[in-house]
Amino acid sequence: MKTNYKLQGTPNSPVLMFSNSLGADLTMWDELAPYLLPYFRVLQYDTRGHGQSRLTDGPYTIEQLGQDVIDLLDKLKIDKVYFCGLSMGGLIGQYLGINHPDRLHKLIISNTDSKIGTVEGWNDRIKTINEQGMQAIVDATMEKWFTESYHQTHPSRVAEMKKIFLANRTEGYTACCSAIGNADFRADIKQIQLETLIITGDEDTVTNVAQAEIMQKEIAGAEIKVFHARHLPSTELPSYYAETLINFIVGEDTFDRGMHVRRTVLGDAHVDRANGNKNEFNTDFQEFISHYAWGEIWTRPGLPKHSRSLITLAMLIPLNKKAEFKMHVKAAFNNGVTKDEIKEVILQSGIYCGLPAANDAMHSAEEVFTDLGIDY
């Protein structure tokens, strides 16, 4: 089964995977990505029958849709992910948490329930779609997805989501309706042992706060977060939604966030050595670095980590700080920088920083390549 996906981010970062709601596609998460990329690789995909993923004969089951996730992870050679699914994606997340907990670090289930609606209700929707097409329910769906104020303040985004909804192939949409209608995890949800965050909206009429609170009681240790939103808080409040995910996965403290990013850039071995060398004299300085450099600057969404690596290398060349330069050459590969890009930075520095500084940088880079076994 061909699954359409988009994977962004630096290769040394953990993967945060997103599963879309019924009627949407992978682009529903696009606004979150800039906030998340300092911390994670972001994996978005189109559920079977949606977006650019293959349409197969229905009806589908949540088990099928969950196995699609496992197959995609196997294809991409990704062992474990942080998983966030909304509505239908939340049902897929519950299936994975129950049946494949070894593939998940933590679980976020958003605007969902262990049993969504009734079989009869979903069959009625399938009948309506088959007879009248997606147009028959699009306006009602947009009302369920977004608050009145969002409709007024973001009409262009609502129009985009309406266009995506109308572009759905009726066969794929109705096949997923069957999967949702027949999914029932009420007896099994208590089996989930993963750290779990449940997100809901205080105006969500599809899956409400009371249902989220019941799931919280069933899943040991689960946390709950209520947004002022309807069914798609990830689209309506993207920065707040992303912040909620970062808080849950990484932590709220700037130091914890800095240590997370520092490890993704410099590698665990380097950070462990630095921490192992801490003493009464240098501890404050080490914590200063993690808090401000890594927690305040490297976490900013304005520049990707790839660009920050190139800029850092360029600035270190005229400063002639060989040890720091070599450290950041190694780190650059963790941020997806190539050997050729490093060469271009050094060449550029030869014009604007001077040939002696560039010459030293070239030799230092070659030393790193030798240490890493990279042919140059």
Side-chain angles (χ1 to χ4, degrees), residues 6-35:
K6 177 166 64 174
L7 179 59
Q8 306 173 76
T10 54
N12 206 39
S13 299
V15 178
L16 173 53
M17 186 176 191
F18 288 100
S19 183
N20 59 274
S21 68
L22 176 70
D25 63 12
L26 60 78
T27 64
M28 68 172 279
W29 308 104
D30 281 354
E31 289 142 310
L32 275 67
Y35 303 102

PDB file of all heavy atoms in Angstrom, residues 6-35:
ATOM      1  N   LYS A   6       5.504  13.049   4.360  1.00  0.00           N
ATOM      2  CA  LYS A   6       6.495  14.126   4.335  1.00  0.00           C
ATOM      3  C   LYS A   6       7.299  14.028   5.620  1.00  0.00           C
ATOM      4  O   LYS A   6       6.735  14.022   6.715  1.00  0.00           O
ATOM      5  CB  LYS A   6       5.807  15.484   4.219  1.00  0.00           C
ATOM      6  CG  LYS A   6       6.776  16.664   4.259  1.00  0.00           C
ATOM      7  CD  LYS A   6       6.119  17.971   3.813  1.00  0.00           C
ATOM      8  CE  LYS A   6       5.014  18.414   4.722  1.00  0.00           C
ATOM      9  NZ  LYS A   6       4.480  19.753   4.365  1.00  0.00           N
ATOM     10  N   LEU A   7       8.627  13.945   5.493  1.00  0.00           N
ATOM     11  CA  LEU A   7       9.517  13.840   6.644  1.00  0.00           C
ATOM     12  C   LEU A   7      10.492  15.002   6.603  1.00  0.00           C
ATOM     13  O   LEU A   7      11.249  15.161   5.649  1.00  0.00           O
ATOM     14  CB  LEU A   7      10.268  12.509   6.618  1.00  0.00           C
ATOM     15  CG  LEU A   7      11.267  12.246   7.751  1.00  0.00           C
ATOM     16  CD1 LEU A   7      10.584  12.289   9.107  1.00  0.00           C
ATOM     17  CD2 LEU A   7      11.964  10.901   7.544  1.00  0.00           C
ATOM     18  N   GLN A   8      10.455  15.841   7.635  1.00  0.00           N
ATOM     19  CA  GLN A   8      11.320  17.015   7.724  1.00  0.00           C
ATOM     20  C   GLN A   8      12.159  16.937   8.996  1.00  0.00           C
ATOM     21  O   GLN A   8      11.761  16.300   9.965  1.00  0.00           O
ATOM     22  CB  GLN A   8      10.485  18.293   7.807  1.00  0.00           C
ATOM     23  CG  GLN A   8       9.455  18.492   6.716  1.00  0.00           C
ATOM     24  CD  GLN A   8       8.598  19.700   7.029  1.00  0.00           C
ATOM     25  OE1 GLN A   8       9.022  20.855   6.870  1.00  0.00           O
ATOM     26  NE2 GLN A   8       7.371  19.476   7.489  1.00  0.00           N
ATOM     27  N   GLY A   9      13.275  17.653   8.987  1.00  0.00           N
ATOM     28  CA  GLY A   9      14.045  17.773  10.206  1.00  0.00           C
ATOM     29  C   GLY A   9      15.426  17.171  10.100  1.00  0.00           C
ATOM     30  O   GLY A   9      15.790  16.556   9.097  1.00  0.00           O
ATOM     31  N   THR A  10      16.211  17.369  11.155  1.00  0.00           N
ATOM     32  CA  THR A  10      17.607  16.961  11.148  1.00  0.00           C
ATOM     33  C   THR A  10      17.735  15.502  11.572  1.00  0.00           C
ATOM     34  O   THR A  10      16.981  15.017  12.422  1.00  0.00           O
ATOM     35  CB  THR A  10      18.424  17.861  12.089  1.00  0.00           C
ATOM     36  OG1 THR A  10      17.825  17.861  13.387  1.00  0.00           O
ATOM     37  CG2 THR A  10      18.446  19.285  11.558  1.00  0.00           C
ATOM     38  N   PRO A  11      18.695  14.785  10.998  1.00  0.00           N
ATOM     39  CA  PRO A  11      18.736  13.323  11.142  1.00  0.00           C
ATOM     40  C   PRO A  11      18.982  12.816  12.550  1.00  0.00           C
ATOM     41  O   PRO A  11      18.675  11.659  12.834  1.00  0.00           O
ATOM     42  CB  PRO A  11      19.875  12.904  10.204  1.00  0.00           C
ATOM     43  CG  PRO A  11      20.681  14.140   9.958  1.00  0.00           C
ATOM     44  CD  PRO A  11      19.726  15.276  10.047  1.00  0.00           C
ATOM     45  N   ASN A  12      19.520  13.620  13.437  1.00  0.00           N
ATOM     46  CA  ASN A  12      19.820  13.151  14.788  1.00  0.00           C
ATOM     47  C   ASN A  12      18.710  13.439  15.785  1.00  0.00           C
ATOM     48  O   ASN A  12      18.862  13.198  16.982  1.00  0.00           O
ATOM     49  CB  ASN A  12      21.129  13.788  15.291  1.00  0.00           C
ATOM     50  CG  ASN A  12      21.825  12.944  16.335  1.00  0.00           C
ATOM     51  OD1 ASN A  12      21.857  11.719  16.231  1.00  0.00           O
ATOM     52  ND2 ASN A  12      22.396  13.584  17.347  1.00  0.00           N
ATOM     53  N   SER A  13      17.568  13.945  15.296  1.00  0.00           N
ATOM     54  CA  SER A  13      16.449  14.295  16.177  1.00  0.00           C
ATOM     55  C   SER A  13      15.438  13.153  16.240  1.00  0.00           C
ATOM     56  O   SER A  13      15.256  12.419  15.263  1.00  0.00           O
ATOM     57  CB  SER A  13      15.751  15.557  15.673  1.00  0.00           C
ATOM     58  OG  SER A  13      16.637  16.656  15.662  1.00  0.00           O
ATOM     59  N   PRO A  14      14.750  12.980  17.380  1.00  0.00           N
ATOM     60  CA  PRO A  14      13.694  11.968  17.455  1.00  0.00           C
ATOM     61  C   PRO A  14      12.533  12.337  16.549  1.00  0.00           C
ATOM     62  O   PRO A  14      12.346  13.510  16.197  1.00  0.00           O
ATOM     63  CB  PRO A  14      13.288  11.996  18.929  1.00  0.00           C
ATOM     64  CG  PRO A  14      13.647  13.362  19.402  1.00  0.00           C
ATOM     65  CD  PRO A  14      14.892  13.739  18.631  1.00  0.00           C
ATOM     66  N   VAL A  15      11.731  11.339  16.166  1.00  0.00           N
ATOM     67  CA  VAL A  15      10.644  11.541  15.209  1.00  0.00           C
ATOM     68  C   VAL A  15       9.323  11.735  15.939  1.00  0.00           C
ATOM     69  O   VAL A  15       8.957  10.959  16.827  1.00  0.00           O
ATOM     70  CB  VAL A  15      10.534  10.338  14.246  1.00  0.00           C
ATOM     71  CG1 VAL A  15       9.359  10.536  13.283  1.00  0.00           C
ATOM     72  CG2 VAL A  15      11.831  10.157  13.472  1.00  0.00           C
ATOM     73  N   LEU A  16       8.607  12.782  15.550  1.00  0.00           N
ATOM     74  CA  LEU A  16       7.243  13.028  16.008  1.00  0.00           C
ATOM     75  C   LEU A  16       6.328  12.833  14.807  1.00  0.00           C
ATOM     76  O   LEU A  16       6.433  13.553  13.814  1.00  0.00           O
ATOM     77  CB  LEU A  16       7.114  14.446  16.574  1.00  0.00           C
ATOM     78  CG  LEU A  16       5.719  14.947  16.949  1.00  0.00           C
ATOM     79  CD1 LEU A  16       4.998  13.997  17.892  1.00  0.00           C
ATOM     80  CD2 LEU A  16       5.800  16.352  17.550  1.00  0.00           C
ATOM     81  N   MET A  17       5.450  11.848  14.893  1.00  0.00           N
ATOM     82  CA  MET A  17       4.597  11.449  13.774  1.00  0.00           C
ATOM     83  C   MET A  17       3.169  11.934  13.989  1.00  0.00           C
ATOM     84  O   MET A  17       2.638  11.854  15.093  1.00  0.00           O
ATOM     85  CB  MET A  17       4.616   9.922  13.629  1.00  0.00           C
ATOM     86  CG  MET A  17       3.889   9.384  12.421  1.00  0.00           C
ATOM     87  SD  MET A  17       4.090   7.574  12.313  1.00  0.00           S
ATOM     88  CE  MET A  17       3.447   7.289  10.644  1.00  0.00           C
ATOM     89  N   PHE A  18       2.535  12.414  12.905  1.00  0.00           N
ATOM     90  CA  PHE A  18       1.189  12.957  12.969  1.00  0.00           C
ATOM     91  C   PHE A  18       0.234  12.176  12.069  1.00  0.00           C
ATOM     92  O   PHE A  18       0.568  11.855  10.921  1.00  0.00           O
ATOM     93  CB  PHE A  18       1.188  14.420  12.528  1.00  0.00           C
ATOM     94  CG  PHE A  18       1.812  15.352  13.524  1.00  0.00           C
ATOM     95  CD1 PHE A  18       3.114  15.807  13.351  1.00  0.00           C
ATOM     96  CD2 PHE A  18       1.112  15.765  14.640  1.00  0.00           C
ATOM     97  CE1 PHE A  18       3.696  16.662  14.272  1.00  0.00           C
ATOM     98  CE2 PHE A  18       1.680  16.626  15.562  1.00  0.00           C
ATOM     99  CZ  PHE A  18       2.967  17.080  15.385  1.00  0.00           C
ATOM    100  N   SER A  19      -0.963  11.925  12.590  1.00  0.00           N
ATOM    101  CA  SER A  19      -2.002  11.198  11.855  1.00  0.00           C
ATOM    102  C   SER A  19      -3.248  12.075  11.747  1.00  0.00           C
ATOM    103  O   SER A  19      -3.776  12.545  12.764  1.00  0.00           O
ATOM    104  CB  SER A  19      -2.324   9.888  12.576  1.00  0.00           C
ATOM    105  OG  SER A  19      -3.272   9.123  11.868  1.00  0.00           O
ATOM    106  N   ASN A  20      -3.722  12.293  10.518  1.00  0.00           N
ATOM    107  CA  ASN A  20      -4.765  13.285  10.259  1.00  0.00           C
ATOM    108  C   ASN A  20      -6.163  12.816  10.644  1.00  0.00           C
ATOM    109  O   ASN A  20      -6.434  11.632  10.828  1.00  0.00           O
ATOM    110  CB  ASN A  20      -4.764  13.702   8.786  1.00  0.00           C
ATOM    111  CG  ASN A  20      -4.993  12.551   7.827  1.00  0.00           C
ATOM    112  OD1 ASN A  20      -4.054  11.865   7.443  1.00  0.00           O
ATOM    113  ND2 ASN A  20      -6.242  12.317   7.433  1.00  0.00           N
ATOM    114  N   SER A  21      -7.058  13.786  10.732  1.00  0.00           N
ATOM    115  CA  SER A  21      -8.465  13.508  11.009  1.00  0.00           C
ATOM    116  C   SER A  21      -9.178  13.078   9.730  1.00  0.00           C
ATOM    117  O   SER A  21      -8.674  13.263   8.621  1.00  0.00           O
ATOM    118  CB  SER A  21      -9.151  14.753  11.579  1.00  0.00           C
ATOM    119  OG  SER A  21      -9.236  15.760  10.578  1.00  0.00           O
ATOM    120  N   LEU A  22     -10.347  12.512   9.893  1.00  0.00           N
ATOM    121  CA  LEU A  22     -11.186  12.152   8.759  1.00  0.00           C
ATOM    122  C   LEU A  22     -11.480  13.394   7.928  1.00  0.00           C
ATOM    123  O   LEU A  22     -11.887  14.434   8.457  1.00  0.00           O
ATOM    124  CB  LEU A  22     -12.500  11.547   9.268  1.00  0.00           C
ATOM    125  CG  LEU A  22     -13.545  11.192   8.219  1.00  0.00           C
ATOM    126  CD1 LEU A  22     -13.090   9.992   7.389  1.00  0.00           C
ATOM    127  CD2 LEU A  22     -14.894  10.895   8.883  1.00  0.00           C
ATOM    128  N   GLY A  23     -11.266  13.299   6.614  1.00  0.00           N
ATOM    129  CA  GLY A  23     -11.587  14.402   5.718  1.00  0.00           C
ATOM    130  C   GLY A  23     -10.484  15.411   5.511  1.00  0.00           C
ATOM    131  O   GLY A  23     -10.593  16.278   4.644  1.00  0.00           O
ATOM    132  N   ALA A  24      -9.411  15.333   6.321  1.00  0.00           N
ATOM    133  CA  ALA A  24      -8.263  16.227   6.150  1.00  0.00           C
ATOM    134  C   ALA A  24      -7.120  15.435   5.509  1.00  0.00           C
ATOM    135  O   ALA A  24      -7.292  14.280   5.099  1.00  0.00           O
ATOM    136  CB  ALA A  24      -7.842  16.816   7.488  1.00  0.00           C
ATOM    137  N   ASP A  25      -5.957  16.057   5.406  1.00  0.00           N
ATOM    138  CA  ASP A  25      -4.782  15.348   4.911  1.00  0.00           C
ATOM    139  C   ASP A  25      -3.570  15.805   5.713  1.00  0.00           C
ATOM    140  O   ASP A  25      -3.697  16.527   6.705  1.00  0.00           O
ATOM    141  CB  ASP A  25      -4.589  15.540   3.403  1.00  0.00           C
ATOM    142  CG  ASP A  25      -4.336  16.985   3.005  1.00  0.00           C
ATOM    143  OD1 ASP A  25      -4.079  17.830   3.894  1.00  0.00           O
ATOM    144  OD2 ASP A  25      -4.376  17.294   1.795  1.00  0.00           O
ATOM    145  N   LEU A  26      -2.389  15.390   5.294  1.00  0.00           N
ATOM    146  CA  LEU A  26      -1.184  15.680   6.078  1.00  0.00           C
ATOM    147  C   LEU A  26      -0.905  17.171   6.245  1.00  0.00           C
ATOM    148  O   LEU A  26      -0.215  17.589   7.169  1.00  0.00           O
ATOM    149  CB  LEU A  26       0.029  14.960   5.501  1.00  0.00           C
ATOM    150  CG  LEU A  26       0.495  15.225   4.052  1.00  0.00           C
ATOM    151  CD1 LEU A  26       1.270  16.529   3.915  1.00  0.00           C
ATOM    152  CD2 LEU A  26       1.384  14.082   3.575  1.00  0.00           C
ATOM    153  N   THR A  27      -1.448  18.010   5.357  1.00  0.00           N
ATOM    154  CA  THR A  27      -1.183  19.452   5.446  1.00  0.00           C
ATOM    155  C   THR A  27      -1.852  20.102   6.649  1.00  0.00           C
ATOM    156  O   THR A  27      -1.536  21.250   6.985  1.00  0.00           O
ATOM    157  CB  THR A  27      -1.638  20.182   4.173  1.00  0.00           C
ATOM    158  OG1 THR A  27      -3.065  20.064   4.029  1.00  0.00           O
ATOM    159  CG2 THR A  27      -0.967  19.607   2.931  1.00  0.00           C
ATOM    160  N   MET A  28      -2.762  19.385   7.323  1.00  0.00           N
ATOM    161  CA  MET A  28      -3.425  19.979   8.491  1.00  0.00           C
ATOM    162  C   MET A  28      -2.428  20.266   9.616  1.00  0.00           C
ATOM    163  O   MET A  28      -2.726  21.038  10.526  1.00  0.00           O
ATOM    164  CB  MET A  28      -4.546  19.074   9.007  1.00  0.00           C
ATOM    165  CG  MET A  28      -4.087  17.757   9.611  1.00  0.00           C
ATOM    166  SD  MET A  28      -5.426  16.822  10.410  1.00  0.00           S
ATOM    167  CE  MET A  28      -5.532  17.654  11.987  1.00  0.00           C
ATOM    168  N   TRP A  29      -1.230  19.663   9.545  1.00  0.00           N
ATOM    169  CA  TRP A  29      -0.210  19.849  10.565  1.00  0.00           C
ATOM    170  C   TRP A  29       0.867  20.850  10.166  1.00  0.00           C
ATOM    171  O   TRP A  29       1.786  21.114  10.948  1.00  0.00           O
ATOM    172  CB  TRP A  29       0.456  18.513  10.878  1.00  0.00           C
ATOM    173  CG  TRP A  29      -0.489  17.409  11.203  1.00  0.00           C
ATOM    174  CD1 TRP A  29      -0.853  16.374  10.385  1.00  0.00           C
ATOM    175  CD2 TRP A  29      -1.192  17.206  12.444  1.00  0.00           C
ATOM    176  NE1 TRP A  29      -1.735  15.545  11.031  1.00  0.00           N
ATOM    177  CE2 TRP A  29      -1.965  16.027  12.292  1.00  0.00           C
ATOM    178  CE3 TRP A  29      -1.236  17.902  13.655  1.00  0.00           C
ATOM    179  CZ2 TRP A  29      -2.775  15.535  13.323  1.00  0.00           C
ATOM    180  CZ3 TRP A  29      -2.040  17.415  14.676  1.00  0.00           C
ATOM    181  CH2 TRP A  29      -2.797  16.248  14.503  1.00  0.00           C
ATOM    182  N   ASP A  30       0.786  21.405   8.974  1.00  0.00           N
ATOM    183  CA  ASP A  30       1.880  22.224   8.444  1.00  0.00           C
ATOM    184  C   ASP A  30       2.236  23.404   9.334  1.00  0.00           C
ATOM    185  O   ASP A  30       3.406  23.766   9.481  1.00  0.00           O
ATOM    186  CB  ASP A  30       1.536  22.734   7.037  1.00  0.00           C
ATOM    187  CG  ASP A  30       1.741  21.674   5.965  1.00  0.00           C
ATOM    188  OD1 ASP A  30       2.253  20.581   6.291  1.00  0.00           O
ATOM    189  OD2 ASP A  30       1.371  21.938   4.799  1.00  0.00           O
ATOM    190  N   GLU A  31       1.233  24.040   9.934  1.00  0.00           N
ATOM    191  CA  GLU A  31       1.502  25.239  10.727  1.00  0.00           C
ATOM    192  C   GLU A  31       2.266  24.932  12.023  1.00  0.00           C
ATOM    193  O   GLU A  31       2.889  25.819  12.611  1.00  0.00           O
ATOM    194  CB  GLU A  31       0.188  25.949  11.056  1.00  0.00           C
ATOM    195  CG  GLU A  31      -0.446  26.604   9.839  1.00  0.00           C
ATOM    196  CD  GLU A  31      -1.963  26.490   9.836  1.00  0.00           C
ATOM    197  OE1 GLU A  31      -2.468  25.372  10.029  1.00  0.00           O
ATOM    198  OE2 GLU A  31      -2.626  27.525   9.630  1.00  0.00           O
ATOM    199  N   LEU A  32       2.227  23.669  12.463  1.00  0.00           N
ATOM    200  CA  LEU A  32       2.934  23.292  13.679  1.00  0.00           C
ATOM    201  C   LEU A  32       4.429  23.088  13.436  1.00  0.00           C
ATOM    202  O   LEU A  32       5.243  23.292  14.345  1.00  0.00           O
ATOM    203  CB  LEU A  32       2.371  21.988  14.250  1.00  0.00           C
ATOM    204  CG  LEU A  32       1.150  22.052  15.160  1.00  0.00           C
ATOM    205  CD1 LEU A  32      -0.082  22.511  14.403  1.00  0.00           C
ATOM    206  CD2 LEU A  32       0.899  20.698  15.811  1.00  0.00           C
ATOM    207  N   ALA A  33       4.776  22.661  12.213  1.00  0.00           N
ATOM    208  CA  ALA A  33       6.135  22.185  11.943  1.00  0.00           C
ATOM    209  C   ALA A  33       7.238  23.171  12.328  1.00  0.00           C
ATOM    210  O   ALA A  33       8.233  22.758  12.951  1.00  0.00           O
ATOM    211  CB  ALA A  33       6.256  21.774  10.473  1.00  0.00           C
ATOM    212  N   PRO A  34       7.151  24.470  11.996  1.00  0.00           N
ATOM    213  CA  PRO A  34       8.257  25.370  12.345  1.00  0.00           C
ATOM    214  C   PRO A  34       8.568  25.413  13.835  1.00  0.00           C
ATOM    215  O   PRO A  34       9.730  25.561  14.232  1.00  0.00           O
ATOM    216  CB  PRO A  34       7.776  26.735  11.840  1.00  0.00           C
ATOM    217  CG  PRO A  34       6.780  26.427  10.772  1.00  0.00           C
ATOM    218  CD  PRO A  34       6.102  25.175  11.227  1.00  0.00           C
ATOM    219  N   TYR A  35       7.544  25.283  14.667  1.00  0.00           N
ATOM    220  CA  TYR A  35       7.753  25.304  16.118  1.00  0.00           C
ATOM    221  C   TYR A  35       8.389  24.009  16.619  1.00  0.00           C
ATOM    222  O   TYR A  35       9.087  24.002  17.641  1.00  0.00           O
ATOM    223  CB  TYR A  35       6.420  25.511  16.844  1.00  0.00           C
ATOM    224  CG  TYR A  35       5.686  26.762  16.454  1.00  0.00           C
ATOM    225  CD1 TYR A  35       4.608  26.717  15.578  1.00  0.00           C
ATOM    226  CD2 TYR A  35       6.072  28.009  16.949  1.00  0.00           C
ATOM    227  CE1 TYR A  35       3.923  27.870  15.220  1.00  0.00           C
ATOM    228  CE2 TYR A  35       5.393  29.165  16.587  1.00  0.00           C
ATOM    229  CZ  TYR A  35       4.319  29.084  15.718  1.00  0.00           C
ATOM    230  OH  TYR A  35       3.651  30.231  15.356  1.00  0.00           O
TER     231      TYR A  35
END
